[in-house]
Amino acid sequence: MKSSDSMSPFSYQQLLGPQNGASRNDATMNFNDNSSMLGQFSPPTTPDSALQLRREANNARERIRVKKHRECFMDLKDVIGRHVSLGKDVSRLALLRSATELIKKLERDIISMSQAQNDSSRQGSMSDPPSPVSTGAMGMATSPGAPLRSAMPDFQAVGLPHPFAPALNNANPTQLFNPTLPNIPQVSAAHAMQYQHLPTLNDLQQNMVNHPFEYIM
Amino acid sequence: MKSSDSMSPFSYQQLLGPQNGASRNDATMNFNDNSSMLGQFSPPTTPDSALQLRREANNARERIRVKKHRECFMDLKDVIGRHVSLGKDVSRLALLRSATELIKKLERDIISMSQAQNDSSRQGSMSDPPSPVSTGAMGMATSPGAPLRSAMPDFQAVGLPHPFAPALNNANPTQLFNPTLPNIPQVSAAHAMQYQHLPTLNDLQQNMVNHPFEYIM
DNA sequence: ATTACACGTGGAG
DNA sequence: CCTCCACGTGTAA
């Protein structure tokens, strides 16, 4: 009751719709039916002060912004869920990490497919699924930062138009899209020390569920 | 000064390091050098109350969590920046949307490469860059939700092991990863009405910079 | 107890 | 004006 002593007399929840989020936040209990306000005959927006109105407006905008975040995370969860099963209780951190690793993985798939396509131009037809680029390191019981690998087929060696930086060459109304030649996917360090508390066995299992790409690739 | 009247006597900024963020948040001005506390001869953790200590601990945990978010967004920005140039002032919303669209785009590239690989098993070798799957709809001046398309080559038609849902078949210690056969990328609706204020020309240009994948693909 | 998220708010751009 | 983000906090799981 210290930071929300200036609570607005109504809630923005019914303005934004229900939380419809990730099954954890059901804290939609904030109606406060405008009882016992001093000026009973005032219009619905009680003219407390001009400042209070600005704060409510700012707050409403912030709630809209947060709602957009929620929707974008849901969309991202949908697309990631096409590649790995995520369960319905994935955190946003997990989604961010999974998105990063998934993009790296699709990059690798495209590279390996380009190589296979190049090889099969002289060889017979082989249609291998693009995934087994390298056998994954499954020793995950020690440190959570370890299992990321960087075994990457070098890209400039195969002489073909690189698959990244794609349609930007022709459909470019402005010069905003300079395609940024791919320095081949480095493992984005700065994750090694992100677990402040030592991971327990349960931690590792849960972490493995939430960040599958860190362990299975 | 209303929500932070119970500010802790030191800042967690030096515990977490500087913001090192995305060029906008340089608001690292929170040192408050422990001046004029009531009990001057108390140990550094002033025994205000047991509750105050818990709040500081909770707050510290929250700051660590937010820091992880920041780092994950930076990593995501790095990988997305390998495919489109993003500028250094991309918002997190923009990163989320770009990540979603980038994954969809890489999916399409993989599908088209699979098709090309299938065709070239009988035809001559053709090494086309994977991007021009379909000519993009550039009519973007009307509604911001419109330019997403769904012209998708149907996937089961080409008879080959689908490229998604990748290495999960063999390296699966638990049965958590049931690969979720890809219902081919539908446009994730619920974005059509997310701009509360009507977009101005400046809005559209800025939106185009921030969400390149919604416009160029 | 801890984690994840929303809320109201201040501040920068 | 606005948008974006961090902060301190409450709260549900």
Side-chain angles (χ1 to χ4, degrees), chain A residues 13-28:
Chain A
Q13 302 278 35
Q14 70 262 32
L15 198 146
L16 293 172
Q19 293 295 97
N20 63 16
S23 82
R24 196 199 318 273
N25 297 299
D26 301 297
T28 317

Side-chain angles (χ1 to χ4, degrees), chain B residues 91-200:
Chain B
S91 71
R92 293 179 172 186
L93 249 345
L95 281 181
L96 289 173
R97 294 200 239 260
S98 292
T100 303
E101 300 304 320
L102 175 57
I103 292 174
K104 292 181 191 171
K105 194 220 165 304
L106 293 180
E107 288 173 353
R108 272 174 276 159
D109 288 352
I110 287 177
I111 289 179
S112 71
M113 288 182 75
S114 299
Q115 284 182 332
Q117 187 169 330
N118 222 23
D119 294 351
S120 68
S121 64
R122 284 289 93 189
Q123 300 292 91
S125 72
M126 48 179 298
S127 69
D128 50 351
S131 184
V133 181
S134 58
T135 59
M138 282 307 294
M140 65 97 183
T142 56
S143 70
L148 287 175
R149 296 160 302 94
S150 66
M152 206 58 56
D154 61 345
F155 181 57
Q156 299 294 83
V158 284
L160 77 160
H162 43 264
F164 303 159
L168 306 167
N169 313 322
N170 44 4
N172 192 345
T174 69
Q175 63 270 38
L176 297 165
F177 306 109
N178 40 355
T180 67
L181 276 302
N183 331 337
I184 288 302
Q186 297 299 89
V187 173
S188 67
H191 269 333
M193 260 314 288
Q194 64 191 351
Y195 293 97
Q196 261 70 5
H197 66 96
L198 276 300
T200 69

Side-chain angles (χ1 to χ4, degrees), chain B residues 7-213:
Chain B
M7 187 107 78
S8 60
F10 68 96
S11 150
Y12 294 103
Q13 302 277 33
Q14 72 261 31
L15 198 147
L16 293 172
Q19 293 294 96
N20 61 18
S23 82
R24 197 200 318 272
N25 297 299
D26 300 294
T28 316
M29 47 83 193
N30 212 0
F31 265 83
N32 195 352
D33 216 312
N34 200 355
S35 61
S36 77
M37 290 301 283
L38 270 302
Q40 272 102 351
F41 289 138
S42 51
T45 66
T46 58
D48 290 333
S49 66
L51 191 138
Q52 178 72 5
L53 277 180
R54 269 227 308 271
R55 283 204 298 205
E56 290 184 6
N58 292 342
N59 192 16
R61 270 187 240 106
E62 176 66 13
R63 299 282 68 76
I64 288 170
R65 201 183 69 88
V66 170
K67 182 189 174 181
K68 287 182 195 170
H69 271 252
R70 196 161 46 231
E71 290 169 350
C72 283
F73 271 109
M74 283 168 59
D75 292 345
L76 187 59
K77 180 181 170 180
D78 286 343
V79 282
I80 294 178
R82 287 204 286 261
H83 297 263
V84 292
S85 83
L86 288 170
K88 63 184 276 296
D89 214 16
V90 213
S91 71
R92 293 179 172 186
L93 249 345
L95 281 181
L96 289 173
R97 294 200 239 260
S98 292
T100 303
E101 300 304 320
L102 175 57
I103 292 174
K104 292 181 191 171
K105 194 220 165 304
L106 293 180
E107 288 173 353
R108 272 174 276 159
D109 288 352
I110 287 177
I111 289 179
S112 71
M113 288 182 75
S114 299
Q115 284 182 332
Q117 187 169 330
N118 222 23
D119 294 351
S120 68
S121 64
R122 284 289 93 189
Q123 300 292 91
S125 72
M126 48 179 298
S127 69
D128 50 351
S131 184
V133 181
S134 58
T135 59
M138 282 307 294
M140 65 97 183
T142 56
S143 70
L148 287 175
R149 296 160 302 94
S150 66
M152 206 58 56
D154 61 345
F155 181 57
Q156 299 294 83
V158 284
L160 77 160
H162 43 264
F164 303 159
L168 306 167
N169 313 322
N170 44 4
N172 192 345
T174 69
Q175 63 270 38
L176 297 165
F177 306 109
N178 40 355
T180 67
L181 276 302
N183 331 337
I184 288 302
Q186 297 299 89
V187 173
S188 67
H191 269 333
M193 260 314 288
Q194 64 191 351
Y195 293 97
Q196 261 70 5
H197 66 96
L198 276 300
T200 69
L201 284 75
N202 224 336
D203 264 333
L204 284 175
Q205 287 182 353
Q206 186 59 36
N207 192 49
M208 187 171 163
V209 175
N210 284 343
H211 324 324
F213 280 101

Side-chain angles (χ1 to χ4, degrees), chain A residues 1-3 23-24 26-27 29 54 61-62 65 69:
Chain A
M1 203 183 288
K2 199 164 280 185
S3 71
S23 82
R24 196 199 318 273
D26 301 297
M29 47 79 194
R54 270 226 307 271
R61 267 185 245 109
E62 177 65 13
R65 202 184 68 89
H69 270 252

Side-chain angles (χ1 to χ4, degrees), chain A residues 18 39 51 55 60 70 83 125 145 150-151 154 167 176 188 190 197 204 210:
Chain A
L51 190 138
R55 282 204 298 205
R70 195 162 46 232
H83 298 262
S125 74
S150 65
D154 61 346
L176 297 164
S188 67
H197 65 98
L204 283 174
N210 283 342

